[in-house]
Amino acid sequence: MSRIASRLAQSVRQAKNDPPDPRTGRKATTPAGEPADAAGSVVTRQAPTREAPSPAPMPARRVWPD
Amino acid sequence: MTATVFSIANQKGGSGKTTLAMNLAAGLSGRGRTLVVDADPQGSAVQWSGMAPERRPFPVPVIALGDNLASEIQRFRRDYDFIVVDCPPSLETERTNKAMLASDRVLVPVLPSPVDLWASMRLARAIEQIRPIRPGLEACLVVNQLEPRSALSRAMQEALAEFEIPALASPIRRRAVYRNVAIEGRSVFCLGRQGDAAKAEIAAIIEEITGP
């Protein structure tokens, strides 16, 4: 089974075994299979925030001779 | 005469319910008297048939039904061989449940995408809950907009095996003709050679769902 097929099947299995509450949309476990917090909230992993890179310096404007 | 009733259901919008309903009905009309019931308040099936010019109407009558869906379907069973119900994209209203209760078979179109598969799982559960009340209700997934070259489409088989309900062997590929016929209020069965592949797909589905 390819990696994508395996992940897709796993995600469907998870949707089957741990459906979100239709009223609140909350699940009993986190995507990693850990229990959700007391309020039932699921905190998904997020990419670490990074400082926005400074803009590249503008190239010096060349003045072409007429 | 007692009609076989097919509900086309999925609470996910854009899964191809109306496209499947209209083309399926047009194909079934070659086998017996067929009716389309538009149970979706958006009225897409009615609008589809309304696009046909008067001189060349859609080959199957299309009627919109609302709250008294189940009793009306029962009444129409006497007059038709096949009834195709286009369900709304929601499980929150009672219409989809009523339609499924009045049906012999539920067809669930699913797109080869994770989001669609996750959403379809909820309908699969709803069908399981209905089965004790409606014994003998059959259900199957219909893979729609399959793109054989895409990795996700090829990965569908393993994912579909996770569902309690089986998938038809005949998928529907992603084809422009399915969208084009809606504009003209037609079905793929009205097309010439350009519709041959689509016709063969719908015919294969009809063979599967009406077979022994």
Side-chain angles (χ1 to χ4, degrees):
Chain A
M1 193 191 297
S2 70
R3 183 171 165 273
I4 195 165
S6 165
R7 291 215 55 178
L8 186 62
Q10 185 191 359
S11 72
V12 172
R13 206 174 304 128
Q14 193 173 344
K16 179 169 69 175
N17 296 332
D18 183 22
D21 185 311
R23 287 168 302 171
T24 63
R26 286 174 168 166
K27 303 181 94 175
T29 60
T30 67
E34 297 152 356
D37 65 21
S41 303
V42 173
V43 180
T44 52
R45 277 180 297 173
Q46 293 178 333
T49 43
R50 291 182 191 159
E51 267 184 42
S54 353
M58 291 286 285
R61 194 173 168 207
R62 294 184 69 175
V63 180
W64 298 95
D66 290 334
Chain B
M1 189 186 295
T2 304
T4 304
V5 182
F6 300 102
S7 274
I8 317 298
N10 193 331
Q11 86 277 14
K12 181 86 168 57
S15 61
K17 289 182 287 296
T18 306
T19 301
L20 177 59
M22 298 301 272
N23 286 292
L24 191 64
L28 285 168
S29 69
R31 296 185 172 218
R33 293 197 64 195
T34 305
L35 172 72
V36 172
V37 170
D38 191 345
D40 183 354
Q42 293 177 89
S44 302
V46 169
Q47 192 171 0
W48 182 312
S49 69
M51 296 298 285
E54 272 183 35
R55 60 184 161 74
R56 186 184 37 74
F58 191 75
V60 173
V62 180
I63 57 160
L65 290 179
D67 293 337
N68 48 357
L69 190 62
S71 57
E72 289 291 296
I73 290 172
Q74 288 306 330
R75 195 166 64 82
F76 282 118
R77 267 185 190 264
R78 294 193 295 266
D79 304 322
Y80 290 91
D81 296 297
F82 303 105
I83 298 175
V84 179
V85 187
D86 186 22
C87 292
S90 171
L91 279 173
E92 309 310 324
T93 68
E94 288 184 348
R95 289 191 187 186
T96 301
N97 283 336
K98 282 182 179 176
M100 292 196 294
L101 280 169
S103 296
D104 299 294
R105 192 162 211 167
V106 183
L107 303 183
V108 185
V110 287
L111 305 189
S113 100
V115 175
D116 282 77
L117 286 167
W118 302 335
S120 304
M121 190 55 81
R122 199 171 150 218
L123 182 73
R125 266 196 304 277
I127 291 168
E128 289 307 312
Q129 287 167 357
I130 281 175
R131 273 184 167 148
I133 315 166
R134 173 70 181 87
L137 176 68
E138 292 183 46
C140 50
L141 303 167
V142 184
V143 178
N144 189 22
Q145 296 191 20
L146 189 78
E147 293 172 291
R149 285 185 184 176
S150 94
L152 264 176
S153 284
R154 290 201 302 268
M156 282 289 278
Q157 286 308 317
E158 289 81 6
L160 293 174
E162 297 296 331
F163 283 79
E164 305 293 336
I165 55 180
L168 291 185
S170 317
I172 299 172
R173 285 202 192 183
R174 185 178 172 83
R175 299 180 193 281
V177 287
Y178 287 115
R179 293 185 290 277
N180 295 345
V181 289
I183 302 168
E184 298 171 10
R186 308 166 86 181
S187 78
V188 293
F189 291 94
C190 301
L191 301 177
R193 292 193 64 185
Q194 76 202 59
D196 280 355
K199 277 183 257 183
E201 285 173 353
I202 301 297
I205 288 172
I206 290 172
E207 201 61 43
E208 276 197 75
I209 62 174
T210 57

